[in-house]
Amino acid sequence: MKRTAALGTALCLAFNMLASPAAQAHHNALLDPLRFHNLHTDEDISVPHRHGQAISSTANRFLRDWRRNEPTRMDSRLFDLLIALQDAIHKRHPDMAVRFNVISGYRSPATNASLRAGGGSQAKQSLHMEGMAIDIAVPGISTKELRDIATCLKAGGVGYYEADGFVHVDVGNVRYWPSRAYLKNLSC
Ligand SMILES: [Zn+2]
């Protein structure tokens, strides 16, 4: 077991010496777990995630519809996106320990409907109901910067909720709201 670990370290070192900087960053990102804090339940979780890997029941539970205490099976592409996002944040802020504050993960159709009935801005066909969307903030960077970094990924929808201090990301079609005006000044 010890020898296997040592061999793993040696291979990692060899990989880092041979690999391009981009591949190195990718490699390092894979080893870095996703760290979350749920602002509604006050729970914390650290999730190792590799591209395409299914989401664990623990992580599904963490991202549950907290109003109804109801989890779903989150789309693994959402965690692929968050890994890419974390990687992109690291590139701009190498010394920052990225943590995603979760405002909303899964929303059941019942919760989504009642929020809409209460005058909320939730979409009728919200991807939160499909486990394909998450509303997040990252302590240490502004909501605007988080929006810009997420936009540069071109990995799905990006919603900017400036007043509420969060960014919605999803793995649906690439689209931006409430305005696309910022795109022309964005340098990725
Ligand atoms: Zn959202």
Side-chain angles (χ1 to χ4, degrees), residues 104-105 107 126 128 133-136 159 161 166-170 177:
S104 186
R107 278 205 298 264
S126 170
H128 284 279
I134 189 166
D135 297 337
I136 47 172
Y161 295 84
F166 71 82
V167 173
H168 162 113
V169 293
D170 65 52
W177 70 89

Side-chain angles (χ1 to χ4, degrees), residues 2 11 16 19 24 28 30 37 48 56-57 67 92 94-95 116 119 121 125 133 140 167 178 185:
K2 224 172 182 176
L11 285 173
N16 278 333
Q24 268 187 41
N28 292 338
L30 288 177
H37 174 67
S56 69
S57 55
R67 291 176 178 87
R92 290 202 195 194
D95 298 328
R116 275 171 58 78
S121 61
Q125 302 297 333
V167 173
N185 296 317

Side-chain angles (χ1 to χ4, degrees), residues 134-176:
I134 189 166
D135 297 337
I136 47 172
V138 174
I141 64 173
S142 69
T143 315
K144 184 170 168 294
E145 185 178 7
L146 180 59
R147 173 200 67 181
D148 291 351
I149 296 172
T151 301
C152 288
L153 295 178
K154 297 182 173 67
V158 179
Y160 180 44
Y161 295 84
E162 188 179 11
D164 296 314
F166 71 82
V167 173
H168 162 113
V169 293
D170 65 52
V171 288
N173 294 332
V174 174
R175 63 216 192 284
Y176 312 101

